[in-house]
Amino acid sequence: MQVTETLNSGLKREIKVTVPAGDLEAKLLARLSDAKNKVRINGFRPGKVPVQHLRKVYGKSFMAEVVNEILSNSTREILSDRGEKAAMQPEVVMTEDEKEAEKILAGGADFEFKLNYEVIPAIEIQDFSGIKVTRQVYDVPEADIEEQVRKVTADAREYEVKKGKAELWDKVTIDYLGKVDGEPFDGGTAEDSGLVLGSGQFIPGFEEQLVGVKAGDEKVVSLTFPETYQATHLAGKDATFDVKVKEVSKPDSTEINDEVAKKLGLESADRLREIIRGQIESQFGQMTRQKVKRELLDALDGSYSFEAPSNLVDAEFNNIWSQVNRDLEAAGRSFADEETTEEEARAEYQRLAERRVRLGLVLAEIGEKAGVQVTDEEMQRALFETVRRFPGNQQQEIYDFYRNNPAALTNIRAPLFEEKVVDHLLSQIAVTDKKVSREELLADDEVAEGGAKPEKKKAAPKKKAEAKKADTDEPAEPKKAAPKKKAAAKSE
């Protein structure tokens, strides 16, 4: 096999490979000889089929296997011999001339092909021991835990009808009719709807305006839908709700006891509080992690400047750009609504794609040199978590797909590896913990309406500026499916 470099420009490489017809013939004969003792052909005893007859019957198909084997093995061998890592699977360019292809399969011509690829640039890892980051930590107060306990147990409580005005944590039974610009809208109407005031079930501003009502009252609730409301045709719009109060009830007891917890399938109120505390602290912990990771990545980004493989950048840009356009379309917005132009947005997201690719390569190099590994157990656990997101009747199919597709498994391994590299870096640099308020921790972050909750509410497609904020901080990761719409009056 003759290997000739025909292009070496920046990160781009083109390699011409020639496999002499004699080498092809030798490989074919070896394959035919091996098959001689295995195939069964009428008229011949086992092992007595002449090679020429085998060639006549199987020659082209065996030669095709030889060619495919050469393509598969030679790419790996050439890169290894050259000491290069391809950014993506090399493109193989072969003759499109059918007559020439027939000659090759017949063993009458040399097999020539080209490999086109970009190399991953050599990255010299710098000393990162001088990097300093601040880890913002928020201690969740007991009042927040108790408030969430009340919200979670609202529907599990017993209520009895009361006379007088509705107070916080009372339950009201209402009819309502929602209107925008004086016209009713889909999903904005209900009868005999039970609502615990303070539970956060409805959009912000709705429940607060019902504190103080009593049975028989009629009230007009005025509010504005959140900009991130999932029903995009209502997002950001002013609305009114004509509300008729049918009944006011109070909880049988203000105490959150074991009986209430058991209605939720838990053994005790203490266990309920423990679970809710863990969920809330975990969510704020994720925000803390996101911020310290962002600071670390910013420091790394400022320390490395090199040309990133254009095919990786293009692939990353296409992923980002597709998501941006899907979000805009879902929100019914345009680039003009975001106070920009498509050209400016493209330039911005191109820079974002380049940053993410560079950071990904830097983290990969740091992880490799540090010996960071993702264990089989970690992969299996992550695979199960991925499969669980799908309906039960699809889970086995999804599991088999990942197990049989190494490239798909790479998409699961990559974020695990990245987080372990970040952990490694955080153990090597100066990290200072700083106690902050809830508002400080949430500042500049995208959080669900109403703040941290055991089950974080999902938001509708974000504005360009917000999307940039999230995407800028991370090397590429798989996108999650968009959340489903809920009834218009209900909270996100």
Side-chain angles (χ1 to χ4, degrees), residues 318-332 461 479:
N318 289 335
N319 286 337
I320 296 172
W321 190 247
S322 295
Q323 185 64 46
V324 167
N325 280 279
R326 284 195 298 269
D327 289 350
L328 286 174
E329 182 178 356
K479 301 290 184 182

Side-chain angles (χ1 to χ4, degrees), residues 162-180:
K162 64 175 278 189
K163 293 182 179 180
K165 297 179 179 181
E167 301 176 30
L168 191 64
W169 304 115
D170 281 349
K171 183 176 183 178
V172 295
T173 302
I174 59 175
D175 296 343
Y176 61 83
L177 172 63
K179 301 176 183 178
V180 171

